[in-house]
Amino acid sequence: MKGYTANETAIIDEGCHIGDGTKIWHFSHLMTGCVVGRNCNIGQNVVIAPEVVLGDNVKVQNNVSVYTGVTCEDDVFLGPSCVFTNVINPRSAVSRRDEYMPTKVCRGASIGANATIICGCVIGAYAMIGAGAVVTKDIPAYALVVGNPARQIGWVSEYGHRLDFDENGIAVCPESKESYLFREGRVMKK
């Protein structure tokens, strides 16, 4: 007995592994060999390619394409129409299936609407990628990045609020009241 729900228009190929409590909406396609964790939400018109791994509680909004080579850890948010690539120099007439580059989105990170993630990048835990950003390199944990190419403009808390560090390198999230420490170019929760 399956522990997930799927709209009748969704296509789920044999050999997918889908966790309990996951919801799959209209016109989405989960391809053979993908792994989707528990309590995920797969929006409308989403493609999850073979060998993609989504952790638990991942939210994939409408019109997202997640291609082979991508791993998203638990609690990742993929905004509407964001896209991942998996080949650095694609050509229609040249097969590069053996050259797929891995991309990792770490726990709790959020990717904004219409953002593009170029393959081979690691997006750090709880990082926030702004809408429309084009990520071409690794992004540190808790970083806030925007633009094309994406550039860092600050730091965010696990609740997604911008952090303002004092002279001692301490910032407090206005919502959770949790403290963060900035040291040697990195942010960590205290």
Side-chain angles (χ1 to χ4, degrees), residues 73-125:
E73 294 182 345
D74 295 348
D75 303 319
V76 164
F77 177 87
L78 303 179
S81 300
C82 75
V83 68
F84 293 86
T85 68
N86 60 7
V87 174
I88 202 71
N89 57 344
R91 294 288 194 196
S92 177
V94 179
S95 177
R96 294 206 162 106
R97 290 181 189 266
D98 295 334
E99 298 177 28
Y100 288 169
M101 296 178 69
T103 299
K104 182 177 182 181
V105 183
C106 297
R107 179 183 189 91
S110 292
I111 298 176
N114 294 305
T116 300
I117 311 302
I118 303 301
C119 56
C121 296
V122 175
I123 296 174

Side-chain angles (χ1 to χ4, degrees), residues 114-167:
N114 294 305
T116 300
I117 311 302
I118 303 301
C119 56
C121 296
V122 175
I123 296 174
Y126 301 100
M128 185 168 287
I129 311 303
V134 178
V135 174
T136 61
K137 62 184 180 181
D138 291 353
I139 304 299
Y142 301 102
L144 172 60
V145 299
V146 299
N148 179 6
R151 68 190 189 304
Q152 186 173 351
I153 62 167
W155 302 97
V156 293
S157 70
E158 291 182 10
Y159 279 62
H161 294 283
R162 198 148 182 188
L163 294 171
D164 184 25
F165 291 93
D166 66 17
E167 66 279 355

Side-chain angles (χ1 to χ4, degrees), residues 11-137:
I11 299 170
I12 301 171
D13 294 345
E14 279 195 44
C16 295
H17 301 281
I18 303 169
D20 290 345
T22 289
K23 292 181 175 79
I24 303 162
W25 295 97
H26 304 76
F27 309 111
S28 289
H29 186 183
L30 279 64
M31 300 173 80
T32 300
C34 72
V35 176
V36 177
R38 294 173 309 203
N39 301 315
C40 292
N41 190 57
I42 308 298
Q44 295 183 49
N45 198 38
V46 169
V47 174
I48 308 292
E51 301 173 35
V52 165
V53 177
L54 303 180
D56 295 338
N57 198 40
V58 172
K59 306 270 188 285
V60 183
Q61 300 302 96
N62 298 345
N63 306 310
V64 174
S65 298
V66 187
Y67 294 119
T68 300
V70 174
T71 299
C72 295
E73 294 182 345
D74 295 348
D75 303 319
V76 164
F77 177 87
L78 303 179
S81 300
C82 75
V83 68
F84 293 86
T85 68
N86 60 7
V87 174
I88 202 71
N89 57 344
R91 294 288 194 196
S92 177
V94 179
S95 177
R96 294 206 162 106
R97 290 181 189 266
D98 295 334
E99 298 177 28
Y100 288 169
M101 296 178 69
T103 299
K104 182 177 182 181
V105 183
C106 297
R107 179 183 189 91
S110 292
I111 298 176
N114 294 305
T116 300
I117 311 302
I118 303 301
C119 56
C121 296
V122 175
I123 296 174
Y126 301 100
M128 185 168 287
I129 311 303
V134 178
V135 174
T136 61
K137 62 184 180 181

